[in-house]
C-alpha cells in the first residue's frame, strides 16, 4: 500500500511548487495551453504515455503497470475563471482578470501527485492507471468534449475517480459521501404567449404576465408536494423577460431557471411534473406555453461499494481521523458525465484553514486553499487505484 509519511516527505514540496506555479499563471476554459504543456512535460518525464484524443487542451496519460489488468482513471480539472484575484500572497495570479478561484490548480497538482507516486511503483501495479486532466469544467463543456472525442474508445477505463477541493472543510480531510454529493443540473426555458393590449382593458387581452406569475408559483409546489421531504431538489428562476411599458400588457413572457436534484427518480419525475404544470397553468390562464427542458449534468452519485472502498482506503492510507462526513452541495460537477459511461467515485478534499484566511467560497476573488492538502489527496487517490485494481482482478 501507500506509506503516507514516505510519499509526503518525497513529493509534498514539489507538488506545492507545481500548484503555486499553476496558480500564478491561470488559464481560462479551452485556453489551457501552457497548463497542458506543463502537465505533458511532467507526465512524459515520468515515463507516462500521452494518449492523443484530438483535443487542443487537456491531457490523458496512461501508466502501464507490470501486467495487464483493470484500468483505473483519476480525473482532475485544470481551468481557471475570469475573476480578478484579491490576494497578498506571493503566488497570486500574474494574469490580469484570470484566477484559479475554484482551486482547479489544486486538483491538477493532486492528480499529478498520484502520477508521481504510482509511476514510482509501476512494477507492483497489476493493471493500468489513466490520468485525465480535463479542460473547461467551468463552462460544463470539458467532460462532454472528452467523451465525444472518444476518451473511452481510445483507452479502456473500468472505473474513474475524481475530486474537488472544499474550503469549508478543514485542510487534508477526505470528505466521503454515499450517493448524492453534487446535484444534477438542468435548465428550463419557458415561453408564455398571450395576446397584448391596454393595461386598462385586461379582459380584451390574454395576459402572459399574470399567467407567468401563477406558473412560477405553481412550479414551486412540485418541490413541496411531489418530491419526498427527505430528498433534496430545487427549482429557481433566474430570468424573467417581458414588456415595454407600465400600461401595456405584452404578447410574450420568457422565463428561465435551473432545476437541481440528487436522486435519479426525482430527475425523471421533475420534467414530467414541470411539463404538466406549465401546460395546465397556461390552459387555465388562456395563454400558450412552450417548455424547453435541457438536461445539463447528472448528479455526482457515489455507489455504496465504492464509498465503502473509500472509507477503507482513507483509514489505511491517512487514518480514521481524516474521514469527513460532508453536507452535499446543490452545485453541479461535470465529472458526472464520465460516470454515464463507467462507474465512478467522487470526493472532496478539505482545503479550509481559518487562521490562514482560507475559508472563502468557490469563485470568490479571495478564494485560496491550504495546499498542504494536496499530498493527502494524491496519496488517497493512489490508494483508491491500488485497492480498486486488487478488488477488480
Ligand atoms: Ni470547480
Amino acid at each position: 500500500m501507500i506509506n503516507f509519511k514516505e510519499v509526503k516527505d518525497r513529493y509534498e514540496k514539489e507538488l506545492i511548487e507545481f500548484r503555486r506555479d499553476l496558480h500564478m499563471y491561470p488559464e481560462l476554459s479551452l485556453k489551457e495551453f501552457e497548463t497542458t504543456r506543463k502537465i505533458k512535460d511532467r507526465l512524459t518525464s515520468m515515463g507516462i504515455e500521452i494518449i492523443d484524443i484530438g483535443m487542443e487542451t487537456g491531457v490523458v496519460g496512461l501508466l502501464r503497470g507490470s501486467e495487464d489488468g483493470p484500468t483505473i482513471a483519476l480525473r482532475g480539472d485544470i481551468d481557471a475563471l475570469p475573476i480578478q484575484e484579491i490576494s497578498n500572497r506571493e503566488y497570486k495570479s500574474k494574469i490580469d482578470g484570470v484566477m484559479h478561484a475554484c482551486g482547479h490548480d489544486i486538483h491538477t497538482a493532486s492528480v499529478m501527485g498520484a502520477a508521481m507516486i504510482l509511476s514510482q511503483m509501476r512494477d507492483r501495479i497489476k493493471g493500468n492507471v489513466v490520468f485525465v486532466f480535463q479542460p473547461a469544467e467551468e463552462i460544463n463543456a470539458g467532460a462532454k468534449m472528452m467523451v465525444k472525442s472518444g476518451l473511452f474508445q481510445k483507452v479502456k477505463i473500468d472505473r474513474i475517480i475524481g475530486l474537488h477541493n472544499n474550503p469549508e472543510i478543514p485542510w487534508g480531510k477526505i470528505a466521503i459521501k454515499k450517493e448524492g454529493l453534487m446535484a444534477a443540473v438542468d435548465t428550463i426555458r419557458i415561453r408564455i404567449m398571450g395576446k397584448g393590449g391596454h393595461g386598462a382593458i385586461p379582459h380584451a387581452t390574454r395576459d402572459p404576465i399574470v399567467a407567468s406569475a401563477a406558473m412560477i408559483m405553481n412550479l414551486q409546489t412540485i418541490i413541496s408536494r411531489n418530491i419526498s421531504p427527505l430528498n433534496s431538489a430545487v427549482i429557481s428562476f433566474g430570468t424573467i423577460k417581458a414588456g415595454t411599458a407600465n400600461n401595456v400588457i405584452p404578447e410574450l413572457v420568457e422565463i428561465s431557471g435551473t432545476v437541481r436534484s440528487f436522486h435519479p427518480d426525482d430527475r425523471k419525475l421533475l420534467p414530467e411534473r414541470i411539463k404538466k404544470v406549465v401546460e395546465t397553468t397556461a390552459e387555465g390562464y388562456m395563454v400558450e406555453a412552450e417548455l424547453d427542458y435541457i438536461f445539463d449534468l447528472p448528479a455526482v452519485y457515489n455507489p455504496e461499494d465504492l464509498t465503502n472502498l473509500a472509507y477503507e482506503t482513507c483509514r489505511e492510507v491517512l487514518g480514521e481521523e481524516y474521514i469527513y462526513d460532508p453536507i452535499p452541495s446543490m452545485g453541479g460537477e461535470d465529472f458526472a458525465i464520465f460516470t454515464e459511461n463507467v462507474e465512478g467515485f467522487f470526493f472532496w478534499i478539505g482545503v479550509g484553514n481559518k487562521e490562514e484566511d482560507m475559508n472563502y467560497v468557490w469563485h470568490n476573488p479571495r478564494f485560496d486553499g491550504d495546499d498542504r492538502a494536496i499530498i493527502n489527496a494524491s496519496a488517497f487517490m493512489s490508494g483508491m487505484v491500488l485497492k480498486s485494481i486488487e478488488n477488480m482482478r
Side-chain angles (χ1 to χ4, degrees), residues 310-331:
Y311 284 127
E312 218 179 282
T313 305
C314 187
R315 257 178 226 126
E316 260 180 61
V317 176
L318 297 168
E320 178 81 34
E321 68 275 23
Y322 284 91
I323 296 173
Y324 188 92
D325 183 25
I327 299 164
S329 161
M330 294 310 287

Side-chain angles (χ1 to χ4, degrees), residues 194-309:
K195 192 173 125 201
H198 200 294
I201 318 168
H203 55 288
T205 73
R206 300 276 167 91
D207 188 346
I209 298 243
V210 173
S212 68
M215 209 175 274
I216 290 166
M217 296 308 288
N218 292 347
L219 287 167
Q220 293 304 319
T221 65
I222 296 172
I223 301 299
S224 71
R225 302 296 90 185
N226 301 132
I227 301 292
S228 162
L230 298 174
N231 290 1
S232 298
V234 68
I235 300 174
S236 292
F237 288 96
T239 70
I240 305 182
K241 285 182 195 148
T244 50
N246 77 305
N247 59 353
V248 177
I249 289 169
E251 292 267 323
L252 174 71
V253 176
E254 291 177 294
I255 59 183
S256 71
T258 185
V259 181
R260 312 242 163 163
S261 60
F262 280 107
H263 200 281
D265 291 347
D266 291 340
R267 197 177 186 221
K268 245 186 94 212
L269 176 81
L270 281 160
E272 290 164 17
R273 288 294 303 143
I274 288 172
K275 184 164 181 283
K276 195 76 184 169
V277 169
V278 166
E279 282 170 2
T280 53
T281 307
E283 198 192 337
Y285 285 79
M286 297 188 297
V287 295
E288 305 280 321
E290 281 171 11
L291 167 71
D292 271 337
Y293 201 100
I294 302 141
F295 294 93
D296 291 323
L297 299 174
V300 171
Y301 208 77
N302 291 321
E304 187 171 4
D305 56 335
L306 294 194
T307 310
N308 290 336
L309 188 78

Side-chain angles (χ1 to χ4, degrees), residues 77 102 104 107 137-138 164-165 333 363:
D77 42 12
C102 201
H104 295 186
H107 310 159
E137 193 279 332
E138 295 295 355
H164 204 289
N165 71 84
E333 225 313 328
H363 298 203

